Amino acid sequence: MLVLALDTATTAVTAGVVELTPDAVVPRSVRVVDDPRKHAELLMPGVLGACADAGIALQEIDAVVVGTGPGPFTGLRVGMVTAAALGDALAVPVHGVCTLDAIAADATAPDTASLLVVTDARRREVYWAAYDGSGARVDGPHVESPAALVGRGLSVTAAAGGSAAGLGWPVREPAAPSPRGLVAAAAAAVRSGVDPGPLEPLYLRRPDAQEPGARKKVSAR
């Protein structure tokens, strides 16, 4: 089974083709560009480039996996809307996975007792989630300041993600999700063949833009 993996929840614009077998997750191609301002411009060229690198046509994709955040509102929407449109055009299922879970899938190793995944949430805050040695999420995702996160005194042995440095834990790669990590996080659902249902973004907080309130009444003098 050939799976197209996408993520725009971090500063990285990620696309790749992964071969999912009954017992393995094998990367066929990877396209990653770190540019937080050009998610929309870079994603589809990355998708087409990843397919070309894998030696396949886009129409040969059997499923799509996309990171659903947490991430900034605008960037996150680019990946999810693109994934939904591709799924509709190709008539293939689209599976959403937590972006932090995808990073954990890459960072968890046989010697991992516990792991923290931390990414940039802007506004001097971070998104984070904690995982056990198997890579299963045990807490989060949450959004708060790095100081508040450190103050929790979490019992983890390592940290991964783009904002993991400087928190006091040993840092592991990757900083952003890879196509392999995205598909690994969704592997059980993709293999099951179950309808994944609608995509649900993990914003964790409201967007900066707000609808204007009702106009104040001006009393006549």
Side-chain angles (χ1 to χ4, degrees):
M1 177 183 295
L2 295 176
V3 183
L4 177 66
L6 315 175
D7 189 272
T8 55
T10 71
T11 60
V13 182
T14 299
V17 175
V18 177
E19 184 175 357
L20 184 64
T21 70
D23 55 4
V25 180
V26 184
R28 292 275 298 268
S29 64
V30 178
R31 289 287 183 108
V32 179
V33 180
D34 199 319
D35 191 332
R37 298 180 181 275
K38 293 186 177 181
H39 288 99
E41 294 89 341
L42 296 172
L43 184 56
M44 272 310 298
V47 167
L48 297 176
C51 288
D53 293 346
I56 66 167
L58 184 58
Q59 291 77 8
E60 294 179 68
I61 291 296
D62 299 302
V64 179
V65 171
V66 62
T68 57
F73 186 79
T74 302
L76 184 55
R77 284 191 306 171
V78 170
M80 295 184 67
V81 168
T82 300
L86 286 170
D88 185 60
L90 300 172
V92 298
V94 181
H95 297 263
V97 297
C98 173
T99 297
L100 304 180
D101 292 356
I103 295 175
D106 276 331
T108 303
D111 64 341
T112 303
S114 54
L115 178 74
L116 182 70
V117 177
V118 193
T119 60
D120 184 18
R122 302 178 184 176
R123 305 185 201 172
R124 299 181 181 179
E125 292 182 321
V126 293
Y127 299 117
W128 69 270
Y131 299 81
D132 64 18
S134 70
R137 184 167 11 121
V138 295
D139 197 355
H142 304 291
V143 58
E144 60 188 356
S145 70
L149 170 55
V150 172
R152 287 175 174 265
L154 297 174
S155 296
V156 296
T157 56
S163 296
L167 297 178
W169 291 284
V171 176
R172 287 187 174 172
E173 293 293 332
S178 71
R180 194 212 75 86
L182 289 159
V183 175
V190 177
R191 288 187 181 113
S192 73
V194 174
D195 184 354
L199 296 172
E200 296 290 342
L202 288 167
Y203 293 129
L204 297 192
R205 63 187 179 202
R206 295 176 63 83
D208 291 329
Q210 301 290 335
E211 291 185 9
R215 291 185 179 181
K216 294 181 179 179
K217 294 182 179 179
V218 178
S219 28
R221 293 185 178 179

